[in-house]
Amino acid sequence: MDRREVADFLRRRREQLTTEAVGLPPGTRRRTPGLRRDEVAQLAGISTDYYTRLEQARGPRPSIQVLASLSRALRFTADERDHLYLLCDHSPPVGGGADTHVGPGSMHVLAKLDDTPAAVITDLGELLVQNPMHVLLFGDVSGRRGWERFHGWRWFVEPDGRDIAPAGDVDRLSRRLVADLRATAARRSKDADVIEFVAALRTASPEFERLWNEHEVAVRLSDTKTAVHPEVGPIDIYCETLLTPNASQRLLIYWPLPGTDAAEKMELLRVIGTQRLDPSVGASYSRPAEVKDISG
């Protein structure tokens, strides 16, 4: 690992970013350009001391999970991410499997949608990043690991995976999940991550196995649904799906459904989130209002 080059690269990229670009509040006057070290550490989900040591060329070699988080926090392009991996003596991610690097464009969009729930997932339903409103509506998934980061696994395997949906919508949503996964499995039939994920679901969930054997196929691009929130009640939403050019990632944006009280409830959720960020109300929140990187 070339510690001096890593330190220089991280510092220069940090100094090029603004709080506005990453969705952080501007805060007080800054003595130096760019983000502060503690802000980068918060965005990447690591300690400030750890990140400071990296910039001072005296830290340990980061794991690939830390490098992935830093790449997203600093809004790296794929080339910049690969360069960081090589400087740290790690092989850059190779093509052919799931694309878990969220590019700066998607990260910028997420940061700008401060009043609208939005997230980026892979084509297998692995949740990569979520903005603060998505956390408030669907819960924080940043601590999940392994299959638990995949929506399909939580839906079919975990007991509380469907609490967000009304009972009357469960069968329809289950079928849509399986049909969409069928389309992905056909498109990526030789990819190991797809084969392993489908096999794990078929073993763990008899319901998934039954629906899989019905062989329904449909790419999930948009949908109208109701999210049952424990504090504000049911919210009628429209989910719009935007695909990356190679369709390996999806940007999900959840709009209030016109003609309902969803917009008012969304605003109430935003107020709840603001209160949790305000120390004066006695609540705690582990990280500031930012895009949550849940890549692990």
Side-chain angles (χ1 to χ4, degrees), residues 85-212:
Y85 274 63
L86 291 172
L87 289 178
C88 293
D89 198 28
H90 284 297
S91 298
V94 296
D99 181 8
T100 60
H101 176 66
V102 183
S106 295
M107 295 293 290
H108 181 73
V109 171
L110 283 177
K112 288 295 186 181
L113 293 172
D114 61 342
D115 62 347
T116 305
V120 176
I121 65 173
T122 68
D123 56 0
L124 285 181
E126 180 183 3
L127 191 51
L128 299 177
V129 289
Q130 50 185 162
N131 73 355
M133 282 294 292
H134 191 276
V135 172
L136 289 169
L137 181 58
F138 294 107
D140 187 356
V141 193
S142 59
R144 302 289 190 124
R145 297 294 181 266
W147 294 134
E148 293 179 357
R149 299 200 320 238
F150 292 72
H151 176 55
W153 183 267
R154 297 193 302 274
W155 182 268
F156 284 104
V157 178
E158 297 185 2
D160 59 349
R162 306 178 181 187
D163 289 351
I164 193 68
D169 285 354
V170 166
D171 182 68
R172 177 182 68 88
L173 295 173
S174 296
R175 290 181 175 277
R176 292 205 63 162
L177 269 173
V178 178
D180 181 75
L181 184 55
R182 264 287 185 184
T184 299
R187 188 176 67 253
R188 298 175 51 203
S189 61
K190 297 181 180 180
D191 289 353
D193 58 329
V194 178
I195 296 171
E196 184 180 5
F197 183 54
V198 171
L201 275 175
R202 296 183 71 175
T203 300
S205 170
E207 179 191 7
F208 179 87
E209 170 72 3
R210 174 177 59 81
L211 293 175
W212 184 261

Side-chain angles (χ1 to χ4, degrees), residues 219-238:
V219 178
R220 189 176 183 179
L221 295 179
S222 60
D223 195 9
T224 300
K225 62 179 69 175
T226 300
V228 181
H229 191 273
E231 295 179 82
V232 303
I235 306 176
D236 297 315
I237 51 179
Y238 181 82

